[in-house]
Amino acid sequence: MMIEVLCRLWDRIHSGKQPHSRGCRSCGHCCDLYGGYLHASDADLKRWRQLGRDDLLALVNEMGWIWIDPEKRRRGDPCPFLQRISPDEARCAIHAIKPDMCRDYPSLDHGRHCVRGIYIPRQTSPKDPTLH
Ligand code: SF4
Ligand code: SF4
C-alpha cells in the first residue's frame, strides 16, 4: 500500500518529463543485461502453479533463481522469453505473467529510471504492450 502511494507520488513528480525521456521503448536492453539474474517471488511461483506453467517452474532452481536450465544449472544465460524483433525492439513472450522483478523494473530503488536513463512510470496493466 505504502509502495503504491510512493509510486503514484513519484509518477506525479515526473509527469512533466518530455516524451523522449519518459516511457518504455520496448528495446529489451534491460532484459539483455539482467534477464539472466532474476529471482522468482512467492507470488510468481503461486501464479505459475495455478496456471499449470510447469515449463516456467522447471526453470526455477532450489534457491528461487530463474531462468536456470535444469541441465546447465547456472545463472547468467540470456532470458529464454525475450523475443528480439530488431536491435532496438523486443517483446516478452510471457508478458502477462512475467516475474514480479520484471514487472517492477525499474523500481523506486532505481528512481524508476531504467538502464537507458529513461523514466518509466509504474505499469498499471499486464496488457500494457510495452516491456516495462
Ligand atoms: S525499461 Fe528501458 S531498457 Fe528496458 S525495455 Fe524499456 S526502454 Fe528499454
Ligand atoms: S521474462 Fe520478459 S521482461 Fe523478464 S527478462 Fe525475460 S523477456 Fe524481459
Side-chain angles (χ1 to χ4, degrees):
M1 185 61 182
M2 180 59 90
I3 293 287
E4 286 290 332
V5 172
L6 283 172
C7 286
R8 260 186 255 128
L9 180 64
W10 203 247
D11 280 353
R12 196 173 303 165
I13 290 169
H14 288 81
S15 63
K17 282 227 164 190
Q18 296 300 310
H20 67 270
S21 58
R22 181 185 166 96
C24 179
R25 310 290 197 277
S26 293
C27 67
H29 293 178
C30 52
C31 303
D32 283 336
L33 277 172
Y34 308 128
Y37 302 93
L38 300 171
H39 197 273
S41 68
D42 289 344
D44 290 331
L45 299 176
K46 186 175 171 192
R47 186 164 61 244
W48 298 339
R49 277 192 207 107
Q50 284 173 342
L51 292 168
R53 291 301 299 259
D54 293 341
D55 57 327
L56 303 185
L57 294 167
L59 300 176
V60 184
N61 79 359
E62 57 280 0
M63 305 288 286
W65 292 105
I66 53 178
W67 308 104
I68 309 293
D69 183 311
E71 289 189 4
K72 296 187 205 154
R73 301 186 65 76
R74 65 167 188 230
R75 294 169 63 207
D77 284 343
C79 173
F81 303 108
L82 183 65
Q83 298 176 333
R84 189 149 286 293
I85 294 162
S86 73
D88 287 315
E89 191 179 359
R91 294 279 179 274
C92 173
I94 56 167
H95 181 63
I97 56 167
K98 66 188 177 185
D100 285 340
M101 274 187 93
C102 299
R103 194 173 311 284
D104 294 341
Y105 178 83
S107 69
L108 277 180
D109 289 347
H110 300 102
R112 297 214 62 86
H113 284 76
C114 76
V115 67
R116 289 182 58 181
I118 300 169
Y119 178 70
I120 311 292
R122 187 170 168 80
Q123 201 178 52
T124 51
S125 163
K127 290 185 180 153
D128 186 329
T130 57
L131 260 178
H132 294 286

